Amino acid sequence: MHIASHGVHGMGRAILTARITCAHILPVRCYGVTSWQPCLSTRNHRNLLNTARHIRAIAASAEQATATTEAPKAKSQQQKKQANQKGGRNAGGKNDKKSELAVTPKSEDFARWYMDIVREAQLASNGPVSGTMVIRPYGYALWEFLQSYLDRRFKETGHENAYFPTLIPMSFIQKEASHVEGFAPELAIVTKGGGKDLDEPLVVRPTSETMVNHMFAQWIQGHRDLPLKLNQWANVHRWEMRTKPFIRTLEFLWQEGHTAHATAEEAEQEAQDMIRVYAEFARNVAAMPVVVGRKSHLESFAGANSTYTIEAMMGDKRALQAGTTHNLGTNFAKAFGTQFLDETGVRQFVHQTSFGMSTRMIGGIIMIHGDDMGLRLPPHMAPIQVVIVPIVKKEADQEGVTQAVDALYAAAQQAGLRCKLDASAEKTPGWKFNHYEMKGVPVRVEVGPRDVQQGTCVVSRRDQPGKAGKQFGVPLEPEGFVSYVKDLLQQIQDNLYAEAGAFTEANIVDVSSYEELQAAVAERKWARGPWAGSDADETKVKEETGATLRCIPFEQNSNKSTCFFTGQSATETVIFAKAH
């Protein structure tokens, strides 16, 4: 893939273009699958050889530079191996903790801490193309929980799933002027295919409003075809310059809803209904407190009349836009001629909405709940809710402990709990404790021979580390055990939400002057205050403080007051904050 900068059809702005070049390629068929290999000219062959010699020289230099570090590395690895052979319940895994790759303390460097957690919890890895990520199974399991919940709620609210092509003609993107302007810097464009220049460049899907409208114009004829409410689970590509796994990548997963309605009132109701569905998921499943509100004109989606958002405060006090819905009015309908005959026989333009939530939500869960030991997952979303770790030191104790943990595991599974029994002998109990803490498993159960004799087990909760979160004497009898764990999981869910809510409230400052806003932002807090400023005023605040107007909350103070920036009468309260 060759990346170049192009101006396209007089758009007036540079567009990053991904040119997929298929020239000089010959197919090689193997087992019915077509693969591709380059056909090199002599001159290209010489250039390739020269490049190879240069690479070998660099590699030799690198080997020499790293040779001096091999001995310390070997010693360090031997120490880790020795530490890994120790551990157990009483040891608390102290030596095992040293065997894990270090996680940067959250308070020391939040950005590095986040990257460490993504790596160590095995959520994702960097892809071979800069700015892309490979979502690992544990990270994808989190996405599947989001999918299953939202998919159910979408169908309950009358939406159906569909799928639209990932390649979009450039002419489609250009039909809606503000849409072009908003997305132009992020577009990836295909200009070659099958070894030939394409008649028209194709945009790799950044979002699907244009493609959907092209099809809606064919499908919608009369008022009986409305409302039309579709959802798509897909990947999209946006050529971001600064990337971070889950938060901002060149390619990411999301769902995008698209609806068409007969009236403006229906479209507005749809946009507000769906942002409340997102808020419901954030609060009830992700244990994430959010502020629900309307975006300012400057912060709204390109091509929308209005945009609604859920904003969450992360552990570094920055805001995260976790989901958005858009009232598109008739803007796209007019661009694509999407009309219908109303009940009186008059042709009208449809009123539309779109809405989306992406893998960014997973990044939000990491940043809002994680601590220095790793993830802390809300039980309602955790791929593993309970892990059972048997502790056996003597062969004579093996049978009794095994029978006990097998019974607990079977009871938990039958009760619908997502449970894992880790009876592997390769790792010590201490290593396992640290491993599952890193992965954010809400509940850990320990069973040893003494527990079996007493008919009890030890249960630790991930949201409260150390002795405070450890409970001895939990019934080993399956029915009592399941009842205890179910109650505990709900306590953990509620506690994570309460902790995050208290943190959010403690870091929102009510301001009545621009100086107070500047001071709040300097302290990395959110500033909430009355606002009657213009787009130019909003831009000035952003330029001078780095904070953006995150939203105009649905929950408003009914008292009229004075705008903290202009001194004019204000009827709305807004929130400014720095954001991810």
Side-chain angles (χ1 to χ4, degrees):
M1 179 178 286
H2 170 68
I3 308 303
S5 179
H6 289 262
V8 180
H9 298 296
M11 290 168 66
R13 298 179 67 171
I15 299 178
L16 284 170
T17 302
R19 177 178 294 171
I20 302 176
T21 305
C22 298
H24 308 297
I25 299 291
L26 295 178
V28 178
R29 298 192 181 274
C30 180
Y31 301 106
V33 178
T34 301
S35 59
W36 301 91
Q37 66 182 21
C39 177
L40 299 175
S41 65
T42 303
R43 181 178 179 183
N44 287 339
H45 185 67
R46 283 198 215 99
N47 290 339
L48 192 60
L49 289 174
N50 290 335
T51 301
R53 293 190 190 101
H54 182 59
I55 291 173
R56 283 196 296 270
I58 293 174
S61 176
E63 287 178 6
Q64 184 177 0
T66 57
T68 57
T69 66
E70 290 303 315
K73 281 184 179 179
K75 182 178 180 182
S76 175
Q77 290 172 359
Q78 180 63 24
Q79 290 172 342
K80 288 180 182 179
K81 184 177 180 181
Q82 292 171 352
N84 205 32
Q85 294 171 352
K86 303 177 182 179
R89 179 185 298 175
N90 295 330
K94 292 182 179 179
N95 290 323
D96 297 321
K97 216 163 216 178
K98 294 178 182 178
S99 71
E100 295 284 342
L101 287 173
V103 172
T104 304
K106 190 176 180 179
S107 59
E108 180 180 306
D109 188 331
F110 191 87
R112 182 178 291 181
W113 166 84
Y114 176 83
M115 296 300 292
D116 290 346
I117 297 298
V118 169
R119 180 191 68 244
E120 290 300 292
Q122 300 175 337
L123 297 174
S125 298
N126 290 327
V129 176
S130 179
T132 63
M133 69 171 173
V134 178
I135 304 177
R136 300 184 66 176
Y138 198 65
Y140 198 82
L142 294 174
W143 175 243
E144 288 178 317
F145 277 103
L146 180 150
Q147 273 188 308
S148 62
Y149 183 92
L150 289 183
D151 199 65
R152 174 177 59 81
R153 291 294 287 122
F154 293 155
K155 289 170 181 174
E156 289 174 352
T157 51
H159 301 80
E160 297 179 291
N161 284 330
Y163 187 79
F164 296 86
T166 191
L167 295 177
I168 303 172
M170 173 60 75
S171 58
F172 285 17
I173 302 292
Q174 294 173 317
K175 283 189 177 183
E176 214 289 323
S178 60
H179 196 62
V180 174
E181 183 179 359
F183 276 102
E186 300 177 349
L187 297 182
I189 302 171
V190 181
T191 58
K192 286 182 177 290
K196 299 179 181 179
D197 290 336
L198 300 178
D199 293 336
E200 178 181 358
L202 301 175
V203 175
V204 183
R205 175 176 51 216
T207 183
S208 297
E209 277 76 10
T210 57
M211 178 63 75
V212 167
N213 264 275
H214 176 76
M215 301 312 301
F216 274 14
Q218 299 175 44
W219 296 341
I220 298 172
Q221 302 300 322
H223 63 88
R224 291 185 179 86
D225 298 323
L226 299 173
L228 181 56
K229 302 167 77 172
L230 301 181
N231 175 65
Q232 168 174 239
W233 294 98
N235 61 340
V236 292
H237 296 75
R238 297 180 185 176
W239 215 268
E240 300 278 2
M241 294 296 98
R242 294 191 302 171
T243 59
K244 179 185 292 187
F246 295 111
I247 300 300
R248 185 172 288 106
T249 49
L250 267 63
E251 176 187 6
F252 56 90
L253 302 179
W254 77 346
Q255 59 74 210
E256 50 178 320
H258 298 276
T259 69
H261 305 267
T263 67
E265 291 76 17
E266 287 180 18
E268 176 64 18
Q269 188 63 52
E270 171 77 4
Q272 294 200 26
D273 286 347
M274 297 320 294
I275 200 62
R276 289 189 172 94
V277 168
Y278 287 160
E280 171 192 298
F281 169 80
R283 292 165 176 162
N284 298 341
V285 182
M288 179 184 293
V290 291
V291 177
V292 186
R294 186 180 82 250
K295 285 288 190 182
S296 68
H297 171 71
L298 290 181
E299 293 291 324
S300 290
F301 177 74
N305 286 355
S306 57
T307 290
Y308 301 102
T309 182
I310 53 172
E311 300 285 327
M313 182 181 289
M314 301 295 100
D316 60 353
K317 304 175 190 175
R318 286 179 177 264
L320 183 76
Q321 178 180 287
T324 52
T325 69
H326 317 288
N327 183 342
L328 304 176
T330 58
N331 299 330
F332 285 90
K334 290 177 178 177
F336 284 83
T338 311
Q339 295 179 289
F340 70 101
L341 286 176
D342 66 15
E343 294 179 355
T344 65
V346 177
R347 188 164 291 278
Q348 306 279 3
F349 287 106
V350 299
H351 298 263
Q352 293 178 263
T353 75
S354 65
F355 48 92
M357 180 175 282
S358 74
T359 41
R360 170 177 286 203
M361 174 59 77
I362 297 174
I365 291 169
I366 299 168
M367 290 192 289
I368 202 168
H369 296 308
D371 62 17
D372 288 349
M373 293 188 297
L375 291 174
R376 293 195 308 166
L377 292 179
H380 290 181
M381 200 168 175
I384 305 170
Q385 294 175 311
V386 182
V387 61
I388 301 173
V389 180
I391 301 175
V392 180
K393 296 182 180 180
K394 298 178 182 179
E395 185 65 30
D397 299 326
Q398 184 72 51
E399 183 177 355
V401 172
T402 298
Q403 289 178 354
V405 296
D406 285 347
L408 291 184
Y409 177 72
Q413 290 282 88
Q414 188 174 3
L417 299 178
R418 296 186 292 277
C419 184
K420 178 173 182 176
L421 170 58
D422 191 344
S424 60
E426 292 78 13
K427 300 294 185 181
T428 67
W431 186 95
K432 294 174 185 179
F433 296 169
N434 294 327
H435 177 71
Y436 292 111
E437 282 179 352
M438 178 62 69
K439 295 178 86 70
V441 176
V443 171
R444 184 182 76 236
V445 180
E446 308 163 30
V447 180
R450 186 179 300 175
D451 300 312
V452 174
Q453 292 173 4
Q454 297 174 350
T456 63
C457 60
V458 180
V459 175
S460 298
R461 51 190 293 177
R462 178 62 182 87
D463 63 320
Q464 294 180 1
K467 293 181 180 180
K470 181 169 283 194
Q471 180 64 48
F472 296 87
V474 175
L476 197 58
E477 180 268 323
E479 186 176 347
F481 169 78
V482 168
S483 176
Y484 178 87
V485 170
K486 278 188 172 182
D487 289 343
L488 182 60
L489 288 170
Q490 188 59 52
Q491 290 176 34
I492 295 171
Q493 181 81 21
D494 295 342
N495 184 56
L496 287 174
Y497 183 79
E499 279 187 12
F503 180 81
T504 299
E505 284 302 314
N507 289 289
I508 297 179
V509 178
D510 289 307
V511 300
S512 57
S513 69
Y514 185 42
E515 290 73 23
E516 290 179 355
L517 177 141
Q518 290 173 309
V521 173
E523 294 176 3
R524 300 185 302 146
K525 296 187 176 185
W526 291 15
R528 178 174 56 198
W531 177 257
S534 63
D535 289 354
D537 294 332
E538 184 181 335
T539 300
K540 185 176 181 181
V541 173
K542 179 180 178 180
E543 291 174 347
E544 293 181 353
T545 68
T548 53
L549 199 163
R550 301 315 305 161
C551 72
I552 304 153
F554 283 176
E555 294 184 9
Q556 288 280 321
N557 188 331
S558 59
N559 297 328
K560 291 186 178 181
S561 52
T562 302
C563 173
F564 66 79
F565 190 82
T566 65
Q568 299 172 357
S569 176
T571 57
E572 293 182 320
T573 297
V574 303
I575 293 175
F576 275 89
K578 290 186 177 181
H580 283 279

